Amino acid sequence: MANERLRILEDVEKDIAVVLQCAGNIVLELSKDKHNASFLDRQLVQFQTSISRVENELGAQIRYLTQVATGQPHEGSTYSTRKDCQMSLNRAEYAKVKLGELGRTCEAMLEQQQQI
Amino acid sequence: MANQRVLPQSKETLLQNYNKRLKDDIKSIMDNFTEIVKTAKIEDETQVSRPTQAEQDHYEMHVRAANIVRAGESLMKLVSDLKQFLILNDFPSVNDAISQQNQQLRALQDECDKKLTSLRDEIAVDLYELEEEYYSSSYSQWSSTDLPLCEAYRRRDSWASPDSSSSSTQDDREEADRTPSQEANAQHHVNGHGTTATEKP
């Protein structure tokens, strides 16, 4: 859900860039002696679409935040589960180390017996 | 209480400020663009000479174009502020993210512990045999107070069925006397955390 909202804001940023791009293209086309009317129309439609999308999306985000925001900081954390998981991984690592020692001890004994 | 009342107002003021910035920037872009397009129209009758009018229009278009760019940049800054505000104050999504992360970590922990438990079960049999071999060899230096795993299991079996062997009733009594400490030591050793007197050769 959080990623979705942030992704929407990323799209809004792209739309703002499109607005400026379209405005620049329209002015550039108007500066020529002969204008391409269809190009102008397309750019204008895109300009209007993008700017209305920017306004609507940002307004919606601000309305959502007005409903959801409190004055308090969030005090949740994943510390306890992260700690438990880390302890579990440490147990596994310790078991691995001990098994390694056991294996080396057994191999050393076997080599000793073979030499004898 | 006064502090609690202040904070929500500042949040509300902040959001009203965001609204105002949004409306002002959109209005600025639309107005300036409209004026640029209007200025682009060539008029036959002008109040000043054509070159002067052209120069004026040129300057005006520059200024309006700069205003459009400034408004666009202000909108980008607004989006950045909204992203920051969202990350810090959107509690539903923060709660979702926390619970999702907790779920993943718990799943990883359960998997790890399950694998360790199965490993323990597999190794217990081999360890039993290894200890039996080791402690019955000449290398072991264990004391009577520190039982190896195999001996602990053997004695526990004999405690579990006292009628099974009558040849060592006295031993059983002695063992019964020593039961709490031996069993504690056995348990201590069985769990694998005890300090043993055995040394590797």
Side-chain angles (χ1 to χ4, degrees):
Chain A
M1 198 161 74
N3 289 340
E4 183 61 29
R5 291 195 180 274
L6 290 172
R7 196 192 55 77
I8 288 170
L9 286 174
E10 294 273 335
D11 290 342
V12 166
E13 281 181 339
K14 286 178 191 159
D15 281 335
I16 293 169
V18 164
V19 161
L20 294 179
Q21 182 76 37
C22 288
N25 287 343
I26 288 169
V27 171
L28 201 63
E29 190 64 26
L30 285 173
S31 69
K32 293 178 184 170
D33 293 332
K34 284 187 183 174
H35 312 140
N36 187 346
S38 61
F39 177 76
L40 278 174
D41 284 337
R42 279 198 309 274
Q43 290 293 305
L44 187 65
V45 164
Q46 198 170 8
F47 174 84
Q48 286 170 335
T49 312
S50 298
I51 206 163
S52 65
R53 197 158 47 211
V54 164
E55 191 174 7
N56 292 337
E57 287 295 344
L58 288 182
Q61 294 288 335
I62 291 171
R63 275 193 300 277
Y64 171 77
L65 284 171
T66 312
Q67 290 166 4
V68 151
T70 67
Q72 311 302 323
H74 195 281
E75 293 184 7
S77 89
T78 57
Y79 175 72
S80 65
T81 43
R82 195 176 286 274
K83 182 202 72 171
D84 291 339
C85 186
Q86 192 62 43
M87 293 295 287
S88 177
L89 292 172
N90 286 348
R91 283 196 289 275
E93 193 59 35
Y94 181 75
K96 188 176 157 188
V97 163
K98 285 296 176 187
L99 281 174
E101 285 177 11
L102 179 65
R104 281 193 291 277
T105 308
C106 290
E107 278 174 16
M109 291 301 297
L110 284 171
E111 278 176 12
Q112 236 178 7
Q113 281 182 358
Q114 279 174 3
Q115 280 172 5
I116 292 168
Chain B
M1 284 297 287
N3 284 341
Q4 284 178 359
R5 253 182 279 133
V6 164
L7 282 172
Q9 267 187 354
S10 75
K11 293 283 182 208
E12 205 171 308
T13 311
L14 197 61
L15 288 167
Q16 282 171 359
N17 179 258
Y18 287 162
N19 241 334
K20 185 174 177 307
R21 276 163 66 182
L22 171 67
K23 291 197 168 22
D24 287 347
D25 291 336
I26 296 287
K27 188 171 181 304
S28 170
I29 290 176
M30 289 301 291
D31 291 346
N32 283 295
F33 183 71
T34 310
E35 290 302 318
I36 286 177
V37 171
K38 279 184 193 171
T39 311
K41 186 179 174 185
I42 297 171
E43 290 173 7
D44 294 330
E45 291 178 8
T46 56
Q47 289 184 352
V48 293
S49 65
R50 274 190 182 280
T52 313
Q53 188 63 41
E55 196 60 37
Q56 181 187 332
D57 291 345
H58 179 234
Y59 180 69
E60 185 181 339
M61 283 190 185
H62 259 290
V63 170
R64 292 198 184 279
N67 280 340
I68 291 175
V69 170
R70 188 204 54 76
E73 197 168 331
S74 174
L75 273 176
M76 297 290 264
K77 176 79 172 60
L78 174 65
V79 170
S80 168
D81 291 345
L82 275 175
K83 277 185 190 173
Q84 190 178 318
F85 196 90
L86 199 70
I87 287 167
L88 290 174
N89 293 288
D90 187 9
F91 282 10
S93 59
V94 170
N95 290 339
D96 276 348
I98 286 176
S99 62
Q100 198 181 7
Q101 184 81 339
N102 280 344
Q103 228 171 7
Q104 285 174 356
L105 289 169
R106 266 192 220 108
L108 180 61
Q109 182 193 344
D110 288 342
E111 195 188 334
C112 197
D113 286 342
K114 202 165 62 175
K115 286 190 177 165
L116 265 181
T117 310
S118 66
L119 186 69
R120 181 203 69 183
D121 293 336
E122 278 175 36
I123 286 177
V125 174
D126 296 329
L127 261 182
Y128 183 91
E129 290 172 3
L130 276 172
E131 274 199 348
E132 208 169 358
E133 186 64 36
Y134 176 70
Y135 287 113
S136 59
S137 72
S138 56
Y139 291 107
S140 68
Q141 299 172 17
W142 59 281
S143 66
S144 59
T145 56
D146 195 12
L147 286 177
L149 190 67
C150 51
E151 189 62 28
Y153 278 132
R154 208 177 292 131
R155 289 194 186 188
R156 198 163 67 176
D157 290 342
S158 68
W159 293 329
S161 55
D163 300 327
S164 61
S165 86
S166 58
S167 61
S168 58
T169 44
Q170 197 177 359
D171 291 339
D172 285 341
R173 236 180 277 124
E174 286 173 358
E175 281 163 15
D177 289 337
R178 286 185 307 192
T179 298
S181 59
Q182 290 295 348
E183 195 172 20
N185 282 343
Q187 286 298 329
H188 198 50
H189 187 77
V190 163
N191 288 336
H193 294 300
T195 56
T196 65
T198 60
E199 299 294 332
K200 291 179 190 163

